[in-house]
């Protein structure tokens, strides 16, 4: 079955930023293919009239099922939001190799794999947009989350390389780098670090993501956009 409405894939869509992004895209008229490991993704898809696919972003076969099911249901893929959980933490030299490899699959290689799968459909359509939900650690690494910091910096590099390669085909890729967001508990110590003196909201991340997917952002590609209330100190 095909559709002339825009179709978006959202991964890790069952809660937090992923669910908020799914709701915002549905509000803007997108048809959705929602992907997550949790049963809750089916509930949200039912609420939004979308397709639910259960699986893990670390499993290539699951990503293939996601893309195949989306094309079977809608006949097109206009947008992708690469969202995922946080990789393991630990003291930088105490982290075992297995956790680094898991983090690589969670943060970076999953984006490469999904790009391989959706780019042909976008090339055929002559247009497409991808947004990667990253983190502020990509530009301000933190000792509390070394795997995330290292690999999200790599994701920023991939974002730029992909964007340059496929810009002439009408396909854009950008990354959103959230600061502290209200899907996680706040503390006075964390609030004090943020110039805005508050956590961001999942709805603010969703609105930023939807903008980057939209035609209004049609000349924005290869960018890594901080949405952090001024948290990052660099310029």
């Amino acid at each position: 079955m095909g559709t002339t409405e825009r179709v978006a894939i959202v991964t890790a869509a069952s809660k937090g930023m992923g669910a908020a992004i799914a709701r915002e895209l549905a509000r803007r008229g997108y048809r959705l293919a929602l992907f997550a490991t949790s049963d809750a993704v089916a509930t949200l898809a039912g609420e939004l009239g979308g397709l639910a696919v259960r699986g893990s972003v670390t499993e290539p076969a699951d990503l293939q099922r996601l893309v195949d099911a989306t094309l079977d249901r809608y006949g097109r893929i206009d947008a992708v939001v690469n969202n995922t959980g946080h990789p393991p933490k630990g003291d930088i030299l105490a982290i075992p190799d297995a956790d680094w490899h898991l983090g690589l699959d969670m943060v970076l290689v999953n984006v490469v794999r999904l790009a391989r799968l959706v780019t042909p459909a976008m090339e055929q359509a002559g247009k497409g947009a991808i947004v990667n939900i990253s983190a502020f650690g990509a530009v301000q690494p933190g000792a509390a989350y070394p795997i995330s910091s290292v690999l999200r910096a790599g994701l920023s590099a991939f974002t730029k390389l992909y964007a340059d390669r496929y810009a002439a085909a009408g396909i854009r890729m950008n990354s959103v780098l959230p600061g502290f967001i209200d899907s996680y508990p706040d503390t006075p110590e964390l609030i004090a670090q943020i110039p805005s003196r508050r956590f961001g909201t999942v709805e603010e991340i969703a609105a930023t993501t939807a903008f980057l997917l939209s035609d209004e952002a049609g000349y924005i590609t290869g960018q890594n956009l901080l949405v952090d209330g001024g948290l990052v100190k660099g310029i």
Side-chain angles (χ1 to χ4, degrees):
M1 179 178 68
T3 178
T4 58
E5 297 172 292
R6 290 190 178 183
V7 173
I9 288 173
V10 183
T11 66
S14 62
K15 62 181 180 179
M17 289 186 283
I21 291 166
R23 289 193 172 95
E24 178 64 20
L25 294 181
R27 188 184 71 80
R28 296 184 183 217
Y30 284 82
R31 304 296 299 275
L32 298 174
L34 305 182
F35 182 74
T37 58
S38 167
D39 287 336
V41 73
T43 303
L44 181 60
E47 172 192 331
L48 301 178
L51 168 69
V53 179
R54 284 195 62 196
S56 170
V57 297
T58 66
E59 294 294 333
D62 290 351
L63 296 176
Q64 184 71 64
R65 283 194 302 107
L66 169 64
V67 171
D68 290 346
T70 304
L71 291 173
D72 287 345
R73 173 80 170 261
Y74 300 119
R76 60 191 291 167
I77 297 172
D78 301 279
V80 173
V81 179
N82 287 303
N83 183 43
T84 188
H86 289 285
K89 302 177 183 179
D91 186 61
I92 188 166
L93 294 184
I95 299 169
D97 286 0
D99 284 355
W100 284 99
H101 286 292
L102 174 60
L104 185 66
D105 278 342
M106 288 181 65
V107 173
L108 178 56
V109 179
N110 67 299
V111 174
V112 178
R113 289 169 175 156
L114 196 49
R116 284 195 198 111
L117 294 171
V118 303
T119 297
M122 291 180 173
E123 283 185 300
Q124 185 174 4
K127 191 174 185 181
I130 301 171
V131 172
N132 307 314
I133 306 302
S134 184
F136 74 94
V139 294
Q140 184 168 291
Y145 35 85
I147 294 178
S148 178
S149 295
V150 169
L151 296 177
R152 294 190 196 280
L155 178 58
S156 295
F158 177 77
T159 297
K160 177 59 175 168
L161 289 168
Y162 178 95
D164 289 354
R165 170 65 177 81
Y166 288 99
I171 306 171
R172 299 181 296 108
M173 178 181 281
N174 294 287
S175 288
V176 171
L177 280 56
F180 294 119
I181 303 300
D182 65 0
S183 51
Y184 296 93
D186 63 8
T187 67
E189 292 77 17
L190 290 177
I191 294 295
Q193 297 178 36
I194 307 169
S196 294
R197 293 296 185 266
R198 67 175 179 87
F199 271 30
T201 68
V202 294
E203 290 80 13
E204 287 170 319
I205 299 301
T208 302
T209 301
F211 166 70
L212 288 173
L213 293 175
S214 73
D215 289 343
E216 285 78 5
Y219 204 53
I220 301 174
T221 193
Q223 300 304 304
N224 296 281
L225 178 60
L226 283 160
V227 186
D228 70 342
L231 175 66
V232 169
K233 306 307 180 189
I235 56 173

